[in-house]
Amino acid sequence: MGVLPEQRLEKVRGLVRTLPVALLRPLENSLSLSQDEGLTAVRRLVSAELESHYIKESVFRPFMPLFEAREDGLEGVEFPNWALNRLWRALERHEPQLFAEARVAARGLRGDDETPVVFYRLVTAGAAILRDTPDEILPPNADEDDAETLTELACYLDLHRLLRSAVLRLPDWMGRIDTEKATAIRLMFKDAGKTSEDGGLRFLEALFANLDDGALIMKFVATVSDRPNDRFLSESELAGFGERLIEAAEMRLKVLEGLLRRRNRETAQLSEAGAWVTQCLTILHSFEQSIELSRDGAWGKRVTKIHQSIAALVEDRLKGVEKIVDIALPLKTERIFGRATRDVPDFKGASEENYQAAVHTIAFLNQIRPTANHGGFASLLTRTIQGCETIMDAYFEVVLGIAVADDPFDAQAVMGCFERVTDLMQALFGEDKANIARRRIGSADVFRLPKNVA
C-alpha cells in the first residue's frame, strides 16, 4: 500500500473522526497487526482519535451522562452527541495550548487524583464558545431548537466546578444523609442557583443523570427542600422529579398488568413480569423513603393506588403457583397387592411446556422476593414457597423410595426424575438444598446391579 499522500490522509482523518469509539477500538487492534506503512499511518490516526475521546470524556466527565439515554428508562435531560463533538473540535481549534496541556494531564491522571486545572479552563472556554459563537457549533440546516439546545448546554457547563465536587461525593451521599451532608448539598444547590435562574434545577438534573438508580434523586430533592410533604412539593418548582418517577411507576404497572393477566400466553413472560414488579416497587420505595406522603395528597393517592394494584396482581398470580409446580412433577397411583396402592413418579415426566412453566414461575418468585415486604405480599409469598418446597420434597422422597428399594427399576428413568426435581430445588432454594438432595441420590447408588426392569 505504501505511504499515503497527505490529501488522502486528511480524508481518512475526517472519516475516522466520524466513527464511534465502539468501532475505533477493534479497528486499532486490527491495524496494529499490519506492517504496511500506509496502514500504520491510519492506525496512528485511529489511536490519536481514541486518545482525543478519552481526554474529552475526562474533561467533561460530570456531563457525559447527559449525552446518553438512561439505562433504567427514566426520563431525564439528554443533549445530542453532535453538540459535544462539535464543541470539542471548536475547542481544539480555539485553545490549542489548553488542548496540549490537557493531553499531558490526562495521560498521567489516576482515579484518585484531583481534577487538573486545565480541565476547568477548557469547560469554561467551551461555555464561552457556545454563547459567543454558537454558529460555529451548530450543524448545517440547524433550527431554533438546536440553538436553544446550545444555550441550555452552556448553562449546564457553568456548573462544572460544583458538579465535579458533587459527583465525587455521590458514593458517600448514597448512605444516610446526616446534618453535615445535608448542609453541603443545600449549599451546592444554593450556589448553583446563583449561576442562573434555573441553576438549582439544572444541578439536580445533572446529579440525576449521574445516578445509576434514578429514583434516588428524591433523596436530594427532599434534602434541598428540607423534607416537605407531597402537598407542598407537588406544587413547587421541583415537582417535575416526583412527577417523573410516579409516571414511570404507572407506566411499569401498565406493562405488568399486560404480562400477568395473560394466563394462557407464554410463561416465559413471568420472569419479565417479576422484573417489572421489582422496578416499580423500587421506584416507590425510594419515593416513600424521601417524601412524606399524605393519603389525600396529589402523590400519596397515586402511590397508594399503584401499591394496591401491584399487590392484587401478584397475589392473584401466587395462588396458582403450587399447582404449576405440582403439574411439573407428576405422580401417579399404582395398585399393589389387592386394594393397596402407592404413589410412583410418572417416568415420562411432565410435558416440556408444563416443566418450563414451573421454571419461569420460580424465576418470577425469585424476582419479586427482594421487594415482597415493601409490596405487601411477603406473607403469601412465604406460604407459596413453603408449599412448593413441600411438593418438591414429597416428589423427591417418592423417587428416592424407588431408588433404594429392592424391586427392579429403570435407572435412567429414575435419574431423569431426580434431575428434574433437583433442578427446580436449586432454582428456588439455592445450591445448598440441591446438593443435599444430590448427596442422598449418590448414597442410593441408582446404577447398582440389578438395575433395570426386564
Side-chain angles (χ1 to χ4, degrees), residues 374-449:
H374 186 61
F377 47 81
S379 179
L380 180 57
L381 178 62
T382 299
R383 293 198 302 272
T384 300
I385 292 176
Q386 289 173 345
C388 292
E389 184 173 27
T390 299
I391 293 170
M392 293 180 193
D393 287 346
Y395 182 87
F396 180 84
E397 293 299 335
V398 168
V399 180
L400 187 64
I402 292 174
V404 299
D406 294 330
D407 296 333
F409 58 86
D410 185 333
Q412 293 293 347
V414 168
M415 285 304 299
C417 293
F418 277 137
E419 288 173 2
R420 284 190 289 272
V421 68
T422 52
D423 285 348
L424 293 181
M425 284 179 174
Q426 179 165 328
L428 187 55
F429 303 107
E431 289 189 2
D432 289 346
K433 183 177 179 67
N435 287 339
I436 291 173
R438 292 182 181 116
R439 285 195 290 270
R440 295 183 67 189
I441 295 169
S443 300
D445 193 13
V446 175
F447 289 96
R448 68 187 185 280
L449 295 174

Side-chain angles (χ1 to χ4, degrees), residues 144-319:
E144 291 184 6
D145 290 340
D146 294 327
E148 291 177 0
T149 294
L150 296 188
T151 301
E152 184 68 7
L153 177 57
C155 292
Y156 272 87
L157 295 185
D158 289 339
L159 301 171
H160 65 101
R161 293 183 181 276
L162 287 172
L163 194 55
R164 279 189 185 278
S165 177
V167 170
L168 287 174
R169 300 180 67 174
L170 270 182
D172 186 42
W173 288 347
M174 290 299 96
R176 189 178 71 87
I177 301 293
D178 56 22
T179 303
E180 182 181 351
K181 296 176 184 177
T183 300
I185 294 170
R186 288 172 187 146
L187 284 175
M188 286 187 180
F189 178 77
K190 184 177 180 180
D191 290 342
K194 295 177 182 178
T195 63
S196 63
E197 183 179 354
D198 294 325
L201 280 174
R202 294 188 180 101
F203 176 74
L204 290 177
E205 285 285 3
L207 281 186
F208 175 67
N210 280 275
L211 290 172
D212 292 332
D213 181 0
L216 292 176
I217 190 59
M218 294 310 296
K219 173 187 291 190
F220 299 97
V221 171
T223 300
V224 300
S225 305
D226 200 16
R227 298 189 66 84
N229 59 33
D230 63 332
R231 291 179 182 176
F232 170 82
L233 196 55
S234 63
E235 297 177 359
S236 74
E237 62 178 357
L238 302 179
F241 294 100
E243 285 291 335
R244 198 179 305 173
L245 293 181
I246 292 181
E247 288 174 3
E250 290 171 338
M251 182 275 290
R252 283 157 174 72
L253 175 60
K254 289 181 180 179
V255 176
L256 181 62
E257 288 174 338
L259 292 171
L260 290 186
R261 287 175 176 169
R262 300 174 186 174
R263 288 191 174 274
N264 298 322
R265 301 289 183 88
E266 290 290 332
T267 55
Q269 294 175 331
L270 271 179
S271 56
E272 180 185 350
W276 285 107
V277 170
T278 299
Q279 284 188 39
C280 196
L281 290 177
T282 298
I283 291 174
L284 297 185
H285 182 65
S286 294
F287 204 96
E288 293 165 311
Q289 287 287 97
S290 305
I291 306 299
E292 181 184 341
L293 298 176
S294 51
R295 290 187 177 182
D296 56 345
W299 291 345
K301 290 180 181 178
R302 293 164 70 184
V303 168
T304 299
K305 184 177 180 181
I306 297 171
H307 265 300
Q308 291 173 342
S309 299
I310 292 175
L313 287 168
V314 172
E315 288 173 0
D316 181 58
R317 176 61 65 170
L318 289 178
K319 293 175 183 177

Side-chain angles (χ1 to χ4, degrees), residues 327-330 346 348-358 420:
I327 293 174
L329 300 172
D346 185 342
K348 294 183 299 183
S351 66
E352 183 62 21
E353 180 182 359
N354 287 337
Y355 186 77
Q356 288 303 316
R420 284 190 289 272

